[in-house]
Amino acid sequence: MSDTHFTMQGKGGVGKTFTASILAQFFAAGLQEGQSLKLIDTDPVIATFSQYKAFEVVRLELQEGSNSQITTRKFDQLLEMMLTDDQSTFVVDNGAASFLPLSHYMIENKAIEMMLDAGRTVWIHPVITGGLGQDDTLSGLDHLARQMPAAVKIVVWKNPYFGRIEKGGKPFEEMPVYKNHAKRLHAVINIPDQSADTFGEDVKTMLQQKMTFDQAIGSDAFGIMSRQRLKITKEKLFSSIAPVFA
């Protein structure tokens, strides 16, 4: 295991941390002896990933003191962590505020090439969503697909929570951004689109409490049917993820 996974998107509140938590849960369940999982939270504004008590998440402080500007040199620490540990899988949850600084850092410093030369496989996980954030998330995907080196594996996560992902009656797979970059995309993962007032509310509550699926499924804080729906959601989601990383 020598993979590095970045959740990246320029639009906030679209499900990046949810995606990072899913990756963490999925990889943790498949760890073999001698393997380890390193989780990093680089969101300079809302460090949600590090609030998950089920994980040991390292918070990378990108701002110094009261300075609201991101100190891009702090990314050196992140890169050095990865380059000096070739036995771990890294999952990095990157905030919307640091989206452009991190992507620019990677390009300017040829950070991706360094990781590849060190034997790491680099994955980028942009989230796209419907509703008001759709255009922004599609733009973020376009930016990443155009800027990242060809060796990077891009996995698009479609989050239907805020509405159907379509434009002019056409689904994502018929949109220009998909057609322009289809050859660049390693996979497209569909977050289950289930009843909002049942499945949706259960997942929302789980996320608000910063719980993993297993924690929620085993918690008396959720009713019997809520736990059943979360179990169904986990099974659907993990079964769609497994072939991507086989």
Side-chain angles (χ1 to χ4, degrees):
M1 294 175 69
S2 58
D3 292 6
T4 297
H5 299 262
F6 295 91
T7 60
M8 297 183 69
Q9 182 52 267
K11 175 70 174 176
V14 297
K16 291 187 300 297
T17 300
F18 176 54
T19 298
S21 74
I22 293 301
L23 290 170
Q25 293 173 68
F26 181 80
F27 293 136
L31 284 177
Q32 303 295 321
E33 185 176 354
Q35 298 176 337
S36 63
L37 183 63
K38 300 292 179 64
L39 309 176
I40 314 292
D41 189 341
T42 67
D43 192 325
V45 181
I46 306 175
T48 307
F49 196 29
S50 59
Q51 295 176 29
Y52 277 80
K53 295 181 179 179
F55 309 135
E56 292 185 8
V57 181
V58 175
R59 175 81 192 282
L60 182 62
E61 297 286 352
L62 298 180
Q63 297 172 335
E64 295 182 347
S66 60
N67 186 359
S68 62
Q69 297 297 314
I70 293 171
T71 305
T72 53
R73 183 173 288 275
K74 291 283 188 176
F75 289 130
D76 287 354
Q77 299 176 23
L78 178 61
L79 188 60
E80 288 174 11
M81 272 190 262
M82 297 170 182
L83 293 175
T84 56
D85 183 352
D86 59 1
Q87 300 299 316
S88 300
T89 288
F90 282 80
V91 176
V92 181
D93 185 31
N94 184 60
S98 53
F99 171 72
L100 288 177
L102 178 57
S103 57
H104 289 163
Y105 172 92
M106 288 179 167
I107 296 165
E108 183 178 29
N109 292 274
K110 295 189 175 181
I112 299 293
E113 289 84 351
M114 290 183 67
M115 285 188 280
L116 294 171
D117 289 343
R120 303 200 72 85
T121 302
V122 181
W123 302 73
I124 302 291
H125 298 268
V127 180
I128 62 172
T129 187
L132 296 176
Q134 179 170 285
D135 287 346
D136 286 338
T137 56
L138 292 175
S139 177
L141 168 60
D142 182 67
H143 172 82
L144 290 169
R146 291 181 185 278
Q147 298 294 324
M148 291 297 160
V152 170
K153 296 181 181 295
I154 300 176
V155 178
V156 176
W157 293 66
K158 294 168 60 178
N159 182 4
Y161 181 79
F162 299 100
R164 295 175 62 87
I165 302 171
E166 60 180 20
K167 199 166 190 176
K170 295 182 178 180
F172 170 65
E173 290 75 9
E174 294 182 19
M175 294 180 189
V177 66
Y178 177 85
K179 293 181 178 180
N180 290 340
H181 303 300
K183 293 182 179 179
R184 288 293 329 272
L185 304 184
H186 181 77
V188 176
I189 294 175
N190 294 287
I191 296 175
D193 185 9
Q194 298 169 304
S195 301
D197 60 343
T198 52
F199 286 89
E201 283 300 314
D202 295 331
V203 171
K204 179 180 178 181
T205 301
M206 178 183 72
L207 295 179
Q208 289 174 338
Q209 297 184 19
K210 310 300 184 296
M211 299 174 74
T212 65
F213 275 107
D214 287 348
Q215 283 180 319
I217 291 169
S219 172
D220 291 336
F222 291 82
I224 294 174
M225 292 311 301
S226 291
R227 296 198 298 270
Q228 173 67 4
R229 286 190 289 267
L230 289 171
K231 183 178 180 181
I232 292 171
T233 302
K234 177 190 174 183
E235 290 173 349
K236 285 186 175 182
L237 191 50
F238 279 36
S239 66
S240 67
I241 295 172
V244 177
F245 305 113

